[in-house]
């Protein structure tokens, strides 16, 4: 049997291979995830303090692996996604920040507007690192994505404060079992 001609089967289909940019701030390095980050990401996502306002429970290793694969796919499909945030100098994993199109089924819908998100390991919280990392992502995205949105659990006061500091303003709320505050950061005038 002759192997298929993969070049011919891709004719007419866009193949996008987005490389993840590396963003540097005064204290942080934001980069794409690699398979070598799996153990660090498992530690981060298995921490109940990290997941309390996101999923409500720690993630299993297989859920973390699927999340990392989704991040890689996001960059490939959308040209944007999540960054792994590391501390300059030590390389310690601080958290994850980025922009996504999760295609959430909720009302009101985000549509195609990129959704900002962030998680920071509790040992690094309280130092302004989340603001530094998210600001770097928003500056990077600003030219092509002037409006972004985010979804925050109403009990997540630190994230709500950060969102407001970054210019996000509430525009709606969802109801039901998973109530959330929807915020938008409109384009600069």
């Amino acid at each position: 049997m002759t192997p298929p001609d993969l070049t011919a089967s891709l004719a007419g289909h866009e193949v996008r291979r987005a490389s993840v940019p590396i963003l540097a701030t005064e204290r942080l390095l934001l980069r794409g995830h690699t398979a070598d980050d799996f153990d660090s990401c498992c530690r981060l996502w298995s921490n109940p303090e990290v997941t309390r306002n996101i999923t409500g429970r720690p993630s299993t290793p297989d859920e973390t692996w699927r999340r990392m694969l989704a991040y890689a796919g996001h960059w490939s499909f959308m040209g944007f996604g999540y960054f792994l945030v590391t501390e300059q100098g030590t390389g310690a994993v601080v958290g994850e920040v980025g922009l996504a199109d999760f295609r959430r089924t909720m009302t009101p819908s985000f549509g195609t507007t990129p959704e900002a998100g962030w998680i920071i390991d509790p040992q690094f919280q309280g130092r302004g690192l989340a603001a530094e990392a998210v600001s770097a992502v928003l500056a990077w995205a600003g030219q092509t994505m002037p409006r972004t949105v985010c979804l925050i659990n109403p009990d997540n006061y630190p994230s709500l404060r950060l969102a407001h500091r970054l210019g996000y303003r509430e525009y709606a709320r969802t109801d039901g079992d998973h109530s959330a505050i929807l915020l938008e950061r409109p384009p600069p005038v």
Side-chain angles (χ1 to χ4, degrees):
M1 176 176 205
T2 307
D5 181 355
L6 295 179
T7 306
S9 67
L10 292 175
H13 296 279
E14 177 184 352
V15 177
R16 186 186 315 184
R17 295 191 194 282
S19 61
V20 181
I22 296 172
L23 308 179
T25 70
E26 183 180 326
R27 300 178 289 173
L28 303 171
L29 187 69
L30 287 69
R31 61 171 178 78
H33 292 73
T34 69
D36 292 338
D37 298 319
F38 178 64
D39 289 340
S40 295
C41 289
C42 282
R43 277 191 296 283
L44 184 65
W45 282 99
S46 67
N47 186 326
E49 289 181 59
V50 169
T51 59
R52 178 181 55 242
N53 290 304
I54 301 169
T55 61
R57 63 171 181 75
S59 295
T60 63
D62 60 312
E63 289 169 331
T64 300
W65 181 246
R66 285 193 304 272
R67 180 178 288 109
M68 291 173 67
L69 293 175
Y71 291 159
H74 217 100
W75 282 102
S76 181
F77 274 36
M78 306 303 296
F80 60 90
Y82 268 70
F83 294 87
L84 187 73
V85 180
T86 61
E87 190 174 44
Q88 291 248 22
T90 69
V93 172
V94 172
E96 298 176 346
V97 302
L99 297 163
D101 178 358
F102 290 124
R103 307 265 169 129
R104 294 184 188 274
T105 53
M106 64 180 192
T107 303
S109 171
F110 283 154
T112 59
T113 304
E115 176 184 345
W118 53 86
I119 63 163
I120 300 296
D121 187 311
Q123 70 178 332
F124 292 100
Q125 292 175 3
R127 299 189 217 171
L129 297 176
E132 187 173 323
V134 178
S135 293
V137 170
L138 294 174
W140 167 80
Q143 298 302 312
T144 58
M145 297 174 244
R147 178 181 181 261
T148 58
V149 293
C150 61
L151 174 144
I152 301 176
N153 180 316
D155 296 329
N156 190 345
Y157 302 115
S159 281
L160 287 169
R161 282 192 301 274
L162 174 59
H164 285 122
R165 271 200 320 271
L166 295 171
Y168 285 92
R169 296 297 174 253
E170 180 178 342
Y171 72 92
R173 290 185 180 231
T174 62
D175 294 323
D177 294 339
H178 303 288
S179 64
I181 298 173
L182 308 183
L183 302 105
E184 68 178 333
R185 185 173 185 260
V189 198

